[in-house]
Amino acid sequence: MTARAQGVGFRSERGPILIALMLSTGLVAIDSTIVATAVPSIVRDVGGFSSFPWLFSAYLLAQAVSVPIYGKLSDMTGRKPIILTGIGLFLLGSVLCGLAWSMPSLIAFRALQGLGAGAVLPVSVTIAGDIYTLQERAKVQGYLASVWAVSSVVGPSLGGIFSALGIWRGIFLVNVPLCLLAGWMLVRTLHEDVERAKHKVDFAGAVLLAGSLGLLILGALQGGQAWAWNSPISIGVFAVGAVLLAAFLLVERRAAEPILPSWVVSRRLLATTTLVSFGVGSVMIGLTSYVPTYLEGALSSSPLVAGLALAALTLGWPLSASQAGKFYLRIGFKSTALIGIAISVAGLLILSLTASSPNVALIAISCFVVGLGLGLLATPTLIAAQSSVPWHERGVVTSTNMFARSIGSALGVAVFGAVANSIYGGSSGGDTDPATVVAASGAVFLAALAAGLLTVAAVLAMPAVKPDDAGNADGQPVPSRAEGSAT
């Protein structure tokens, strides 16, 4: 897909598409923070306190397993029908969540939202890679990154307001006008000229992939929490997931158009950038899961103060991501990523070394530094991967990169949870003792630092591809079987 329009910004010819992509991204960005603040109100109204963690697990699980499937479908049929399908599912899920009558129904409708989010975010990023050249994407990243910065403030604020007013259902219904506006703008402004070819959809692969990954991620998310790691249900979930995964690999070897082609992991640049994304997900979940618990348990900080300290992470990321283009266009993708991971490791090191002396300001600064580094790490590696492939492979590449981040988060939850629980279990005070909270959180921060150091190895293994050598880095699209226009 190409765009002949010149200029980047809201007033350019592609401005309406950019606004639509920002609105679409905003749906997922706001949802990631707005629900958590309303949990007490939701539980008071519909009950089900013991089940409320599934509000997040069901959403993340549905989102993660659907991302690779949507990516492949977008390469086969075009981006527009897939992102509109995602927005439609997210809209339907939001309306049903607002009408939910019990915790089980709300959890089911959150899963439907997750299925929509699985298409919205990766396809939005893919469309940006389609219609903007590499040089232009350096500026576009600033616009897209600003969505996450704004959402990190707007999400918790809206959630708090709706909860205070006793209308928690509004946190879901607020998505309705945003979905309608984003969908309408995409219908009117995004036009694709996709080569019509007969495709053989890999239904068997899609079902096996969703089933296997769903069970494996479920086991990682719930192991050690909902059930013991060595319990029959835990062993059964992992065993069935492994069998389905093996069956998926066998089916993919014979599929005409596999959901996850083998070249995704056989090309060095794609393999290493996928590993980097895995590491980013692990580091992110380590901080977002344990920084609030650390501050609330060790210093008796209010949830608001703990949330604001963590918000420094989500503010640092978009600030550096918006400037990442200036770096990778001058010094290359790998060098920019190395600077980013070095900054993140420095922040994680500070966090680990000072964990024994809790301080809100120092934690916030450390999170901000880690966020700055991740913005310089995640953005150039994703764009390097996108730019190395033609249009009909870009959807798979983008979705695989984002899927790896989800897998990193899921496994990170399992590993960090095991580390923390081992310390809580050996203490008589448990998770109510400030000293134990400090020890457990400090161990998690060390584990996150280890994940960061492993990510350094993945960055070092990246080929030193210069922007001028990567795909459409010269301002022209790589050869593809489909070409589209934005009007």
Side-chain angles (χ1 to χ4, degrees):
M1 182 184 294
T2 67
R4 305 304 182 190
Q6 298 297 316
V8 175
F10 298 146
R11 295 185 179 182
S12 68
E13 188 175 344
R14 291 163 292 177
I17 299 180
L18 177 59
I19 294 173
L21 295 180
M22 292 176 69
L23 284 171
S24 301
T25 302
L27 293 172
V28 180
I30 292 177
D31 192 82
S32 65
T33 57
I34 194 173
V35 177
T37 56
V39 165
S41 298
I42 295 173
V43 170
R44 282 195 300 268
D45 191 5
V46 302
F49 177 79
S50 61
S51 302
F52 87 82
W54 276 96
L55 290 176
F56 307 98
S57 296
Y59 177 93
L60 293 173
L61 187 60
Q63 181 184 20
V65 300
S66 61
V67 163
I69 298 172
Y70 286 129
K72 178 61 178 181
L73 291 176
S74 75
D75 283 342
M76 296 170 65
T77 65
R79 324 298 187 206
K80 188 173 182 176
I82 303 303
I83 192 171
L84 290 178
T85 298
I87 291 173
L89 289 173
F90 196 91
L91 172 61
L92 178 59
S94 297
V95 171
L96 292 175
C97 283
L99 300 175
W101 55 89
S102 65
M103 185 61 74
S105 66
L106 184 56
I107 291 171
F109 300 145
R110 281 283 289 167
L112 183 58
Q113 268 191 311
L115 288 176
V120 170
L121 188 57
V123 179
S124 293
V125 176
T126 306
I127 292 173
D130 288 340
I131 68 173
Y132 292 104
T133 66
L134 186 62
Q135 288 81 359
E136 290 173 331
R137 267 179 281 164
K139 299 178 182 179
V140 170
Q141 284 301 317
Y143 288 92
L144 296 178
S146 68
V147 174
W148 292 94
V150 172
S151 298
S152 67
V153 177
V154 172
S157 300
L158 281 178
I161 292 172
F162 284 126
S163 296
L165 294 176
I167 50 174
W168 62 266
R169 298 176 189 275
I171 68 175
F172 299 109
L173 298 180
V174 73
N175 293 324
V176 173
L178 295 178
C179 287
L180 293 174
L181 181 58
W184 176 76
M185 292 187 70
L186 285 169
V187 168
R188 286 182 55 87
T189 61
L190 179 62
H191 302 285
E192 296 180 301
D193 181 17
V194 181
E195 178 184 323
R196 299 302 173 187
K198 189 174 182 179
H199 295 283
K200 189 173 182 179
V201 180
D202 182 18
F203 289 111
V207 171
L208 289 171
L209 178 65
S212 62
L213 295 179
L215 288 173
L216 293 174
I217 295 174
L218 175 64
L221 288 173
Q222 299 301 311
Q225 300 184 45
W227 51 69
W229 287 109
N230 59 352
S231 65
I233 187 173
S234 180
I235 296 173
V237 165
F238 281 114
V240 176
V243 170
L244 291 179
L245 182 60
F248 165 75
L249 295 175
L250 290 175
V251 168
E252 293 303 273
R253 294 177 62 182
R254 301 178 181 179
E257 296 186 69
I259 290 292
L260 275 181
S262 60
W263 53 259
V264 172
V265 293
S266 63
R267 299 177 189 175
R268 182 180 168 190
L269 177 62
L270 299 184
T272 52
T273 52
T274 298
L275 289 174
V276 168
S277 188
F278 180 92
V280 169
S282 300
V283 170
M284 280 288 291
I285 201 66
L287 270 59
T288 55
S289 298
Y290 287 92
V291 163
T293 302
Y294 170 65
L295 292 178
E296 292 175 37
L299 295 176
S300 298
S301 300
S302 68
L304 177 61
V305 171
L308 289 175
L310 181 61
L313 176 71
T314 54
L315 285 174
W317 182 318
L319 284 177
S320 61
S322 65
Q323 302 301 311
K326 297 179 181 178
F327 286 87
Y328 67 66
L329 288 176
R330 177 170 296 184
I331 63 175
F333 297 117
K334 182 176 181 178
S335 297
T336 303
L338 282 172
I339 293 173
I341 188 59
I343 294 174
S344 289
V345 167
L348 290 167
L349 182 61
I350 295 172
L351 193 62
S352 302
L353 292 176
T354 59
S356 59
S357 303
N359 182 284
V360 175
L362 191 57
I363 291 297
I365 292 172
S366 300
C367 287
F368 182 75
V369 172
V370 173
L372 284 177
L374 292 180
L376 287 176
L377 173 65
T379 299
T381 50
L382 172 59
I383 292 178
Q386 283 185 327
S387 301
S388 69
V389 297
W391 183 93
H392 64 277
E393 295 180 349
R394 195 170 296 139
V396 167
V397 167
T398 304
S399 63
T400 301
N401 189 281
M402 294 191 170
F403 174 68
R405 190 180 302 176
S406 298
I407 295 295
S409 295
L411 292 181
V413 165
V415 173
F416 299 145
V419 169
N421 290 337
S422 66
I423 295 177
Y424 286 131
S427 170
S428 58
D431 58 5
T432 60
D433 176 33
T436 305
V437 171
V438 169
S441 300
V444 170
F445 297 153
L446 278 174
L449 174 61
L453 292 174
L454 290 174
T455 307
V456 172
V459 177
L460 289 173
M462 283 180 59
V465 179
K466 298 180 181 179
D468 289 342
D469 301 327
N472 59 357
D474 59 356
Q476 297 299 322
V478 291
S480 70
R481 61 169 177 78
E483 186 172 297
S485 61
T487 60

